[in-house]
C-alpha cells in the first residue's frame, strides 16, 4: 500500500473499532459506511480504487473476526478474598491503558482479542494477592499457554496491571541464555517501561520506545537493560532503595546463579533494613518456569542452586506472588507439593491456582499441524533419514566432520527462497522472514552446517544473478535455478504467480538473504531490530538457543532433525507455532516420520492435561486437592527429564472406550503367533458361514458382515495374540469392557475386511480381498513389526464408513460439514463413530510387508521374504466403538503426580475397608 492508502486504512479501522467498543459487535455495513465516508474525502480523491477498498475491507474484516476465549481457572481456595475489581475504580491503570494502545496501534492486535485479554488479566491480577494489605502472603500460581502463542504479551499485560495495583518490586525471570534475556528486556522496554533501558540507566534523554509514545509521563525504575543483566554496582550507582521511590522497580534477570545471588544480596543489604523481611510487595514472573527453576536434586540433598535462589528471593518479601508461565507444564506439576523447608519454606508447586490460557483463533498450534485432520497438516514434509544419516548420523559427536548437506535440506532452503519471492509479489516487502535449521545441539556441528548452507546459498544467489534473467528453458539448464523451480513446482504452483514471474524476481528477493549461527559462541546476533525498516531475511542455524523462548520473526520454513525424547524439549523446539498472517500457505516443516508421530502424541497429551484442568474448573478444588496426570503411551518418550519427575509414578488408568477407535500397528514377528491370529480369523469366518451370514462387497476396497453377535467378537479376541506395544489395544481390557457393558449398543457388531493393492489375496467365501501393503520397521530386538506410516497406524480414516449405508455415510458427511461450517476438512475415523448411532466395528487387516523404514537391513529382508515365501499374511486389527450411554473403561498409561498417587491409593484403601 502507498502512504495515502495506509492513512485511509488507519482511519477506517479506527472508526470501525470505535463502533465495536460502543456496540460490542461489528457488522459488514458498519465497515462499508466508514469506507464510503472516507473515500470521498478530497485527500483520497481518485486514489482509492475498488481493489484498494476490497483490500481494506478484507483486512479489517479479518482482524475483527479474530476471537480469543477466556481461559480456564481452577477455583482458588474459598477462603481467598477477591480484591482487584473492587479497587480498580480507584486506580489510574495508566500502565495498562498505554500498553493497550500499543497493542492495538503498534502491534495491530484485534480489538476483540485485546478486550478479552483485559478481562482475563483482571482475573490473573486478582489472583496475585493485594499489595496494599497490612498482612503477609506467599502466592504460588501457574499459567499455561501454547508454544509461541503470545505468552509475552500476557505477562507484560499482567506486569502492567500489577504495577497499576501497587506492586513495588517486579522480577521477570527469563531462560538461561543471555540472548533470550536481552530479547525479553527489549519487549519489556517496549510494553512496560516505555523507554530504552540501556539509555535510561545512562540517564540519556529522548529514549522513548513502544508504549511510552502513548504516555511518557510514567515509567518504572529499571535496573537491568538490553546491555546488562543485574549488577550490584549499577543499582548502587543510582543510589535508592525500594522505600524511597514511588514508582515500581523492574528487573529482567536470566536464570543464572550469579545474577540471582547478586540481586538477592543487593535486596538484603540495601532494602531489608534490619527487619526479618522487606515490607514491600514482590511479583516474580517466571517465564519458561519448567526450565531451570524446578528443583531436580533428591530429597536428601539441598535444592538446586537456581531453585534455592528463587525461593530465597520470594522469602525476602513479606508479600510475594510467584507466577510461572509455560507452554510445557509437565515439570511443574511433578514438583513435590509437600516441600516446606524451615529455611527456604515452600517450593514452587502452583498450590493456589492454575490458569490455562486459550490462544486466539488465528493461532497455529500443534493440534492444527500434527493431527490427521489438522488444518495445516499439509505443512509437514518428511526428512529422508537414510540420506541425512550418511552425512550427519543422529548420534554424532561435537568433533565429527560434515562434508555436505543432504538434498532435502537443499530443497528446504530453495523452498524458503521461493517463498520470499512470493511474499514480495504479494506486497509484503518489509516483513521479517526466517528459516530454522536445527540438526544438532553441538556448536561445532552448527558452525559446520552454517558454512555448508551459506556456501549453497551463495551458489544459488550467484546463479540467479547470472541466469535468472534468461528465458525459462535456458535458465532451467542451470542446476541451482532448476532446484528453485523444483521447489516451486512441488509446493507453490497454486500460489497465484507463474514461474516466469517468480524467476524474474528471484534476484531482488533472495539477494538480501543471509545465514547466522545462533548459539552462545556466535558473535553475529540475530537482531531483527536493526532491519526494522527493510525486514531481515535470514536462515538461522542453531540448537539450544533456538529450542526455547527465542522467537524467529516471520518463520516460514523449518528443518528439524534432533533426537530429544522429552515432551517439553520437543514442543519447545517448535518455533514454527504461532501467527502466520498472509503467509500460512507458504510454511513448510521438515522432520522425520517418527518425530511427526511423537508431536501428534505430545499434542494430544498436552490437550488432555489441559482438559483435566478444565474438568476441575468449577469443582472448588485447588491444585493441592486433586491429582494431575500426563498421558505417556509411547514408551520411547519421556514426559520431562527424569530428575524433574522425582515424585512421579507410572500407572495404568482406566478411561472410557466410548466413541474411540483403537488398532494394532505393532504385530509380532513370530510366525507361530501370526499363524494363530490368522486361524482365529479363519474360525470366525467358519462360524459366520455356519449361521448363514453372507459377506457384503459394496466395492473393491472392503468386504463386511452385518449384525454379528458379540459372542463371535469375544471369541476372536480371546484367541488372538497382540504385543503389549499396542498400548491402546489391551485385549483383556477390551474383552472385559465388551463383556461387562450393561447397555445394548455392543450386542451386534459389523466385521470388515480391508482390501489393498498387494497381488496376494485372501478368500472370504466366494469373495476375495487383496492384502494391504504397509511399510514397516523392526523393533524390540526384531521381535516386533511396527507398521510405519506417517502416524504409526495400520488403518486409515475412511474405514470408519464400513458397515454404514450410503444414506448413513451422507448423513455423517452432512453433520461434519455443519460442525465445521462448510470448511473442507477430512473426516476423522472417530467422527464416523461419534456422530451417529451405529454398530461397533471390528476391522481385520491382512497385511503384506512393503518397504522397511528407515532403510532395508539384512534382518528386515529375511522377515519380508519369509512371509512372502510361506504365503502367511500378517494380521492386524482395529475396533471402533460408537458413543455409548453407559461408558465403561479401558486402560491407558499415565505419568501421575504425587497428589494423584495419594488420591488413588486412598480410593483403593476405601474400597478395601468396605469389603
Amino acid at each position: 500500500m502507498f502512504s495515502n492508502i495506509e492513512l485511509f486504512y488507519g482511519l477506517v479501522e479506527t472508526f470501525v473499532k470505535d463502533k465495536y467498543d460502543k456496540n460490542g459487535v461489528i457488522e459488514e455495513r458498519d465497515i462499508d459506511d466508514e469506507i464510503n465516508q472516507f473515500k470521498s474525502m478530497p485527500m483520497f480523491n481518485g486514489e482509492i480504487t475498488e481493489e484498494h477498498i476490497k483490500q481494506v475491507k478484507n483486512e479489517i474484516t479479518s482482524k475483527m473476526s479474530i476471537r480469543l476465549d477466556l481461559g480456564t481457572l481452577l477455583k482458588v481456595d474459598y477462603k481467598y478474598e477477591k480484591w482487584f475489581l473492587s479497587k480498580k475504580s480507584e486506580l489510574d491503570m495508566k500502565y495498562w491503558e498505554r500498553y493497550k494502545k500499543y497493542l492495538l496501534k503498534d502491534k495491530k492486535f484485534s480489538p476483540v482479542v485485546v478486550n478479552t485479554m483485559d478481562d482475563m488479566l483482571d482475573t490473573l491480577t486478582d489472583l496475585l494477592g493485594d499489595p496494599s494489605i497490612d498482612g503477609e502472603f506467599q502466592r504460588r500460581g501457574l499459567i499455561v499457554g501454547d508454544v509461541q502463542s503470545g505468552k509475552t504479551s500476557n505477562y507484560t499485560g499482567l506486569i502492567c496491571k500489577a504495577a497499576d495495583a501497587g506492586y513495588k518490586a517486579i522480577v521477570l525471570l527469563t531462560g538461561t541464555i543471555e540472548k533470550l534475556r536481552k530479547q525479553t528486556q527489549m519487549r519489556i522496554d517496549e510494553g512496560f517501561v516505555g523507554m530504552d533501558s540501556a539509555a535510561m540507566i545512562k540517564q540519556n534523554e529522548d529514549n522513548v520506545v513502544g508504549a511510552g509514545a502513548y504516555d511518557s509521563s510514567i515509567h518504572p525504575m529499571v535496573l537491568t537493560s538490553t546491555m546488562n543483566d543485574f549488577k550490584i554496582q549499577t543499582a548502587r550507582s543510582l543510589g535508592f532503595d525500594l522505600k524511597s521511590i514511588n514508582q515500581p522497580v523492574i528487573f529482567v534477570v536470566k536464570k543464572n546463579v550469579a545474577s540471582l545471588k547478586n540481586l538477592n544480596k543487593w535486596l538484603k543489604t540495601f532494602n531489608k533494613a534490619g527487619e526479618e523481611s522487606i515490607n514491600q510487595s514482590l511479583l516474580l514472573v517466571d517465564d519458561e518456569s519448567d526450565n531451570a527453576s524446578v528443583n531436580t536434586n533428591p530429597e536428601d540433598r539441598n535444592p538446586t542452586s537456581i531453585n534455592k535462589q528463587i525461593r530465597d528471593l520470594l522469602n525476602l518479601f513479606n508479600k510475594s506472588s510467584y507466577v510461572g508461565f509455560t507452554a510445557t507444564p509437565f515439570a511443574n506439576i511433578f514438583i513435590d507439593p509437600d516441600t516446606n523447608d524451615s529455611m527456604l519454606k515452600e517450593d514452587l508447586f502452583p498450590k493456589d491456582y492454575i490458569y490455562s490460557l486459550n490462544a486466539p483463533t488465528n493461532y497455529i498450534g500443534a493440534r492444527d499441524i500434527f493431527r490427521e485432520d489438522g488444518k495445516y497438516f499439509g505443512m509437514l514434509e518428511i526428512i529422508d533419514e537414510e540420506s541425512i544419516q550418511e552425512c550427519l548420523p543422529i548420534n554424532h559427536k561435537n568433533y565429527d566432520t560434515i562434508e555436505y548437506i543432504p538434498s532435502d535440506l537443499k530443497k528446504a532452503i530453495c523452498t524458503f527462497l521461493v517463498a520470499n519471492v512470493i511474499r514480495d509479489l504479494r506486497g509484503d516487502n518489509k516483513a521479517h522472514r526466517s528459516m530454522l535449521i536445527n540438526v544438532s545441539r553441538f556448536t561445532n556441528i552448527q558452525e559446520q552446517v552454517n558454512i555448508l548452507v551459506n556456501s549453497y546459498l551463495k551458489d544459488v544467489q550467484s546463479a540467479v544473478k547470472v541466469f535468472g534473467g534468461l528465458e525459462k528453458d535456458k535458465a532451467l539448464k542451470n542446476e541451482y535455478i532448476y532446484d528453485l523451480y523444483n521447489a516451486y513446482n512441488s509446493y507453490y504452483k497454486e500460489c497465484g504467480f507463474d514461474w516466469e514471474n517468480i524467476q524474474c524476481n528471484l534476484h531482488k528477493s533472495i539477494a538480501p538473504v543471509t545465514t547466522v549461527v545462533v548459539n552462545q559462541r556466535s558473535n553475529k546476533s540475530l537482531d531483527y531490530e536493526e532491519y526494522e525498516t527493510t525486514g531481515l531475511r535470514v536462515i538461522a542455524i542453531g540448537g539450544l538457543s533456538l529450542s526455547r523462548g527465542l522467537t524467529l520473526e516471520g518463520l516460514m520454513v523449518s528443518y528439524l532433525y534432533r533426537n530429544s525424547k522429552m515432551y517439553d524439549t520437543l514442543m519447545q523446539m517448535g518455533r514454527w507455532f504461532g501467527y502466520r498472517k498472509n503467509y500460512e500457505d507458504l510454511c513448510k516443516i521438515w522432520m522425520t516420520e517418527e518425530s511427526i508421530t511423537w508431536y501428534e502424541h505430545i499434542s494430544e497429551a498436552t490437550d488432555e492435561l489441559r482438559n483435566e484442568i478444565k474438568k476441575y474448573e468449577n469443582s472448588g478444588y485447588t491444585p493441592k486437592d486433586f491429582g494431575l496426570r500426563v498421558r505417556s503411551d509411547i514408551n520411547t518418550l519421556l514426559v520431562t527429564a527424569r530428575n524433574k519427575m522425582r515424585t512421579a509414578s507410572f500407572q495404568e488408568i482406566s478411561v472410557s472406550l466410548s466413541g474411540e477407535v483403537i488398532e494394532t500397528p505393532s504385530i509380532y514377528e513370530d510366525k507361530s503367533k501370526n499363524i494363530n491370529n490368522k486361524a482365529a480369523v479363519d474360525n470366525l469366518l467358519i462360524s459366520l458361514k455356519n449361521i448363514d451370514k453372507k459377506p457384503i462387497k459394496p466395492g473393491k476396497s472392503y468386504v463386511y458382515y452385518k449384525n454379528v453377535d458379540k459372542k463371535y467378537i469375544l471369541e476372536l479376541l480371546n484367541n488372538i495374540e497382540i504385543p503389549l506395544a499396542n498400548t491402546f489395544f489391551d485385549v483383556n481390557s477390551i474383552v472385559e469392557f465388551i463383556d461387562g457393558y450393561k447397555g445394548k449398543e455392543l450386542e451386534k457388531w459389523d466385521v470388515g475386511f480391508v482390501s489393498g493393492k498387494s497381488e496376494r489375496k485372501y478368500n472370504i467365501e466366494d469373495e476375495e480381498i487383496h492384502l494391504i501393503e504397509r511399510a514397516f520397521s523392526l523393533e524390540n530386538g526384531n521381535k516386533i513389526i511396527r507398521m510405519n506410516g506417517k502416524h504409526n497406524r495400520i488403518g486409515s480414516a475412511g474405514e470408519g464408513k464400513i458397515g454404514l449405508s450410503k444414506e448413513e455415510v451422507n448423513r455423517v458427511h452432512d453433520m461434519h460439514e455443519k460442525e465445521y461450517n462448510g470448511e473442507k476438512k477430512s473426516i476423522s475415523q472417530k467422527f464416523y463413530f461419534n456422530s451417529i448411532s451405529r454398530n461397533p466395528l471390528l476391522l481385520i487387516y491382512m497385511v503384506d510387508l512393503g518397504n522397511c523404514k528407515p532403510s532395508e537391513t539384512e534382518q528386515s529382508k529375511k522377515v519380508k521374504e519369509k512371509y512372502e515365501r510361506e504365503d502367511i499374511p500378517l494380521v492386524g486389527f482395529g475396533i471402533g466403538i460408537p458413543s455409548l450411554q453407559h461408558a465403561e473403561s479401558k486402560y491407558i498409561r499415565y505419568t501421575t503426580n504425587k497428589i494423584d498417587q495419594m488420591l488413588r491409593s486412598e480410593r483403593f484403601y476405601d474400597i478395601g475397608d468396605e469389603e
Side-chain angles (χ1 to χ4, degrees):
M1 286 187 179
F2 302 100
S3 57
N4 259 12
I5 308 304
E6 290 177 333
L7 177 60
F8 175 73
Y9 171 83
L11 287 168
V12 174
E13 183 187 35
T14 299
F15 279 80
V16 167
K17 179 187 172 297
D18 286 343
K19 284 188 177 181
Y20 174 83
D21 289 341
K22 291 175 184 176
N23 305 325
V25 67
I26 281 292
E27 296 183 4
E28 188 174 352
R29 67 170 180 268
D30 295 320
I31 302 174
D32 290 336
D33 288 346
E34 299 305 330
I35 286 174
N36 291 331
Q37 177 182 334
F38 287 108
K39 76 175 182 180
S40 59
M41 293 176 65
M43 64 187 302
F44 300 126
N45 188 29
E47 194 169 342
I48 306 299
T49 66
E50 288 302 315
E51 185 61 32
H52 291 142
I53 290 172
K54 180 181 177 182
Q55 189 175 354
V56 168
K57 186 174 179 179
N58 287 344
E59 182 77 12
I60 293 175
T61 301
S62 173
K63 183 181 285 190
M64 297 302 295
S65 68
I66 298 170
R67 293 286 183 272
L68 172 65
D69 295 327
L70 287 172
T72 300
L73 169 67
L74 296 183
K75 189 175 181 181
V76 294
D77 193 330
Y78 69 93
K79 296 178 182 177
Y80 181 71
E81 294 183 7
K82 292 180 175 292
W83 62 274
F84 181 63
L85 287 178
S86 62
K87 291 190 175 184
K88 193 175 177 183
S89 62
E90 304 168 10
L91 304 172
D92 289 333
M93 302 304 295
K94 287 184 177 181
Y95 283 105
W96 167 252
E97 287 302 323
R98 74 174 189 177
Y99 182 56
K100 183 176 178 180
K101 291 174 183 175
Y102 170 70
L103 291 177
L104 289 167
K105 296 182 180 180
D106 290 32
K107 306 305 287 183
K108 307 299 182 186
F109 274 40
S110 160
V112 185
V113 169
V114 173
N115 286 343
T116 307
M117 274 183 66
D118 195 354
D119 293 336
M120 178 265 294
L121 291 170
D122 279 351
T123 300
L124 295 183
T125 307
D126 196 73
L127 294 168
L128 299 180
D130 185 353
S132 65
I133 64 171
D134 292 331
E136 301 180 356
F137 59 78
Q138 286 275 333
R139 305 281 295 162
R140 300 282 191 273
L142 178 66
I143 298 174
V144 183
D146 287 291
V147 177
Q148 296 284 94
S149 64
K151 295 189 302 298
T152 305
S153 300
N154 286 313
Y155 67 62
T156 303
L158 180 62
I159 288 170
C160 288
K161 291 203 174 191
D164 286 325
Y167 270 84
K168 180 56 70 73
I170 300 169
V171 176
L172 172 57
L173 296 180
T174 70
T176 58
I177 300 168
E178 179 62 16
K179 282 187 175 73
L180 176 57
R181 193 205 67 80
K182 288 182 177 181
Q183 183 186 75
T184 306
Q185 179 78 61
M186 188 180 301
R187 292 180 177 180
I188 289 297
D189 285 358
E190 293 170 348
F192 175 57
V193 181
M195 294 187 176
D196 183 318
S197 53
M200 193 174 171
I201 287 177
K202 293 177 181 177
Q203 299 181 343
N204 292 343
E205 297 181 358
D206 193 25
N207 57 5
V208 171
V209 296
Y214 300 101
D215 185 352
S216 59
S217 67
I218 56 167
H219 58 81
M221 289 293 296
V222 56
L223 292 182
T224 55
S225 72
T226 49
M227 300 300 294
N228 292 303
D229 202 336
F230 180 79
K231 293 184 176 180
I232 291 179
Q233 58 266 40
T234 302
R236 291 183 67 180
S237 68
L238 294 174
F240 74 91
D241 59 36
L242 296 177
K243 288 182 179 180
S244 65
I245 58 169
N246 294 320
Q247 69 265 49
V249 183
I250 186 162
F251 312 80
V252 180
V253 182
K254 65 178 173 287
K255 294 177 199 175
N256 172 277
V257 175
S259 298
L260 286 166
K261 276 185 175 179
N262 285 337
L263 176 58
N264 285 340
K265 182 178 179 181
W266 177 78
L267 287 168
K268 289 175 185 175
T269 305
F270 295 98
N271 295 274
K272 208 169 179 183
E275 299 176 355
E276 285 191 17
S277 59
I278 300 170
N279 189 25
Q280 299 286 343
S281 52
L282 166 70
L283 168 62
L284 195 158
V285 176
D286 187 355
D287 190 18
E288 309 292 355
S289 59
D290 61 309
N291 181 33
S293 304
V294 177
N295 176 25
T296 56
N297 280 345
E299 292 181 14
D300 58 348
R301 289 176 54 192
N302 291 329
T304 50
S305 298
I306 291 176
N307 176 266
K308 178 182 182 300
Q309 293 301 322
I310 293 172
R311 289 159 71 180
D312 270 344
L313 175 56
L314 290 165
N315 290 321
L316 282 174
F317 290 79
N318 64 354
K319 289 173 283 195
S320 68
S321 187
Y322 171 87
V323 187
F325 275 79
T326 184
T328 48
F330 311 114
N332 303 86
I333 68 172
F334 294 123
I335 296 172
D336 189 344
D338 298 324
T339 301
N340 199 335
D341 303 328
S342 57
M343 291 291 291
L344 293 174
K345 299 186 179 177
E346 59 190 340
D347 204 347
L348 305 180
F349 180 81
K351 65 181 177 62
D352 296 304
Y353 60 90
I354 299 176
Y355 192 97
S356 178
L357 294 167
N358 286 324
T361 52
N362 60 332
Y363 171 74
I364 299 173
R367 64 189 70 86
D368 304 303
I369 297 173
F370 294 100
R371 302 284 177 86
E372 190 175 356
D373 59 348
K375 183 177 180 181
Y376 298 102
F377 180 70
M379 286 184 182
L380 296 172
E381 296 295 325
I382 297 173
I383 286 177
D384 183 344
E385 289 187 78
E386 187 172 348
S387 175
I388 195 171
Q389 281 272 19
E390 290 177 1
C391 62
L392 183 65
I394 191 71
N395 294 316
H396 57 267
K397 304 297 182 184
N398 190 34
Y399 48 77
D400 287 346
T401 301
I402 306 173
E403 296 180 353
Y404 64 94
I405 56 175
S407 58
D408 58 3
L409 177 52
K410 291 179 180 178
K411 188 170 186 178
I413 293 167
C414 287
T415 301
F416 173 65
L417 297 176
V418 174
N420 270 273
V421 182
I422 296 170
R423 289 192 70 180
D424 283 346
L425 291 173
R426 289 177 176 177
D428 198 12
N429 307 69
K430 297 179 181 179
H432 299 305
R433 294 92 177 273
S434 303
M435 176 180 177
L436 175 154
I437 299 176
N438 188 345
V439 295
S440 175
R441 63 190 176 90
F442 297 117
T443 55
N444 181 48
I445 300 295
Q446 293 161 18
E447 285 157 9
Q448 290 185 65
V449 171
N450 178 57
I451 291 170
L452 293 168
V453 169
N454 190 48
S455 176
Y456 180 71
L457 173 64
K458 296 297 184 190
D459 288 342
V460 174
Q461 289 170 329
S462 296
V464 165
K465 186 175 182 179
V466 175
F467 301 104
L470 300 178
E471 293 178 3
K472 174 183 174 181
D473 291 343
K474 292 181 180 179
L476 289 178
K477 291 179 181 178
N478 177 269
E479 63 174 302
Y480 300 108
I481 302 291
Y482 185 81
D483 284 352
L484 293 164
Y485 175 71
N486 184 36
Y488 166 83
N489 233 19
S490 297
Y491 308 121
Y492 300 140
K493 281 200 303 185
E494 308 299 324
C495 71
F497 303 100
D498 58 27
W499 171 251
E500 286 75 9
N501 203 353
I502 298 289
Q503 183 182 310
C504 69
N505 285 280
L506 277 170
H507 178 60
K508 182 180 178 182
S509 294
I510 73 173
V513 177
T514 185
T515 67
V516 61
V517 177
V518 183
N519 59 37
Q520 292 284 56
R521 281 170 47 180
S522 173
N523 294 321
K524 188 177 178 182
S525 64
L526 188 62
D527 195 344
Y528 293 99
E529 295 297 315
E530 291 183 7
Y531 297 86
E532 198 59 45
T533 56
T534 59
L536 177 62
R537 305 182 183 201
V538 65
I539 298 174
I541 299 154
L544 178 61
S545 295
L546 291 179
S547 297
R548 188 180 277 271
L550 193 68
T551 299
L552 295 175
E553 301 288 348
L555 179 63
M556 294 193 290
V557 174
S558 303
Y559 190 97
L560 179 74
Y561 181 65
R562 290 286 302 276
N563 63 343
S564 173
K565 294 184 178 181
M566 292 182 289
Y567 286 25
D568 41 15
T569 304
L570 280 167
M571 287 300 282
Q572 291 290 350
M573 285 179 178
R575 300 292 95 193
W576 50 78
F577 302 128
Y579 306 94
R580 303 289 180 261
K581 183 182 177 183
N582 297 331
Y583 65 96
E584 64 269 23
D585 60 319
L586 305 180
C587 296
K588 289 291 174 184
I589 306 163
W590 268 263
M591 58 172 57
T592 64
E593 279 190 299
E594 186 172 49
S595 292
I596 292 171
T597 302
W598 288 355
Y599 271 101
E600 181 183 25
H601 171 75
I602 296 166
S603 172
E604 290 175 348
T606 305
D607 284 350
E608 187 173 302
L609 175 61
R610 292 174 71 138
N611 288 333
E612 281 286 297
I613 294 171
K614 187 174 181 62
K615 186 170 72 176
Y616 289 97
E617 182 174 17
N618 296 310
S619 66
Y621 292 151
T622 70
K624 288 198 74 170
D625 298 321
F626 65 87
L628 287 170
R629 61 192 190 186
V630 182
R631 194 164 180 163
S632 48
D633 301 313
I634 299 181
N635 292 329
T636 51
L637 292 178
L638 286 172
V639 172
T640 187
R642 294 186 189 279
N643 58 6
K644 294 181 181 179
M645 297 192 293
R646 294 174 302 129
T647 64
S649 174
F650 300 101
Q651 295 187 14
E652 298 288 329
I653 298 171
S654 64
V655 295
S656 174
L657 257 181
S658 176
E660 292 290 337
V661 175
I662 54 176
E663 57 185 32
T664 61
S666 293
I667 297 174
Y668 281 118
E669 192 281 329
D670 186 279
K671 184 175 75 171
S672 63
K673 288 182 169 60
N674 281 292
I675 291 173
N676 173 76
N677 287 349
K678 181 179 178 295
V681 174
D682 291 340
N683 290 334
L684 171 65
L685 291 176
I686 292 169
S687 298
L688 296 179
K689 184 176 182 179
N690 290 338
I691 60 172
D692 290 324
K693 281 283 182 186
K694 298 294 182 185
I696 303 166
K697 189 172 184 181
K700 294 182 179 180
S701 59
Y702 60 89
V703 172
Y704 77 100
Y705 290 85
K706 192 76 179 168
N707 295 324
V708 176
D709 193 280
K710 78 172 182 182
K711 72 178 183 179
Y712 298 107
I713 309 300
L714 292 172
E715 183 178 348
L716 174 98
L717 291 171
N718 281 317
N719 285 298
I720 61 176
E721 296 181 79
I722 301 297
L724 293 175
N726 298 294
T727 314
F728 298 100
F729 207 103
D730 179 76
V731 172
N732 292 333
S733 298
I734 296 168
V735 168
E736 184 178 348
F737 170 77
I738 296 170
D739 200 30
Y741 181 65
K742 296 180 176 61
K744 301 294 184 184
E745 301 104 306
L746 300 184
E747 295 299 317
K748 298 294 182 183
W749 286 63
D750 297 334
V751 178
F753 290 79
V754 180
S755 187
K757 296 181 180 180
S758 170
E759 292 180 3
R760 297 169 63 194
K761 298 176 183 178
Y762 177 75
N763 292 322
I764 302 171
E765 287 198 40
D766 297 327
E767 304 291 347
E768 63 181 16
I769 60 167
H770 291 264
L771 273 59
I772 63 170
E773 239 180 39
R774 291 290 182 266
F776 71 102
S777 60
L778 294 177
E779 297 184 348
N780 195 22
N782 298 328
K783 295 177 183 177
I784 301 296
I785 300 173
R786 182 165 75 96
M787 301 300 114
N788 201 17
K790 286 183 180 179
H791 292 282
N792 184 27
R793 290 196 60 185
I794 195 170
S796 58
E799 289 150 15
K801 69 178 70 170
I802 296 177
L804 300 181
S805 66
K806 287 184 178 179
E807 292 75 18
E808 288 173 320
V809 171
N810 289 336
R811 198 176 349 138
V812 171
H813 286 200
D814 290 340
M815 293 174 73
H816 187 268
E817 187 173 356
K818 184 177 180 181
E819 180 163 330
Y820 291 97
N821 297 317
E823 197 174 331
K824 290 186 178 179
K825 294 170 71 86
S826 59
I827 301 176
S828 68
Q829 197 167 349
K830 284 178 67 173
F831 196 84
Y832 285 103
F833 293 90
N834 288 321
S835 55
I836 62 171
S837 177
R838 61 170 296 174
N839 285 347
L841 174 66
L842 169 67
L843 289 168
I844 298 173
Y845 301 90
M846 297 294 178
V847 183
D848 194 6
L849 293 177
N851 295 324
C852 183
K853 297 288 182 106
S855 61
E856 293 281 9
T857 63
E858 284 302 311
Q859 184 60 34
S860 66
K861 289 176 183 177
K862 287 179 182 178
V863 171
K864 186 176 178 180
E865 289 169 2
K866 176 175 69 174
Y867 281 97
E868 286 176 348
R869 182 176 63 252
E870 300 191 19
D871 198 26
I872 302 169
L874 297 165
V875 186
F877 302 92
I879 287 177
I881 304 289
S883 295
L884 305 173
Q885 291 182 349
H886 309 284
E888 296 294 332
S889 298
K890 68 172 181 176
Y891 291 93
I892 298 296
R893 188 172 185 262
Y894 285 92
T895 306
T896 63
N897 73 351
K898 188 173 180 179
I899 299 169
D900 189 80
Q901 296 158 35
M902 290 189 296
L903 291 173
R904 289 182 185 281
S905 64
E906 286 169 6
R907 282 196 289 271
F908 179 80
Y909 181 76
D910 288 342
I911 292 170
D913 277 353
E914 290 172 6
E915 293 176 346

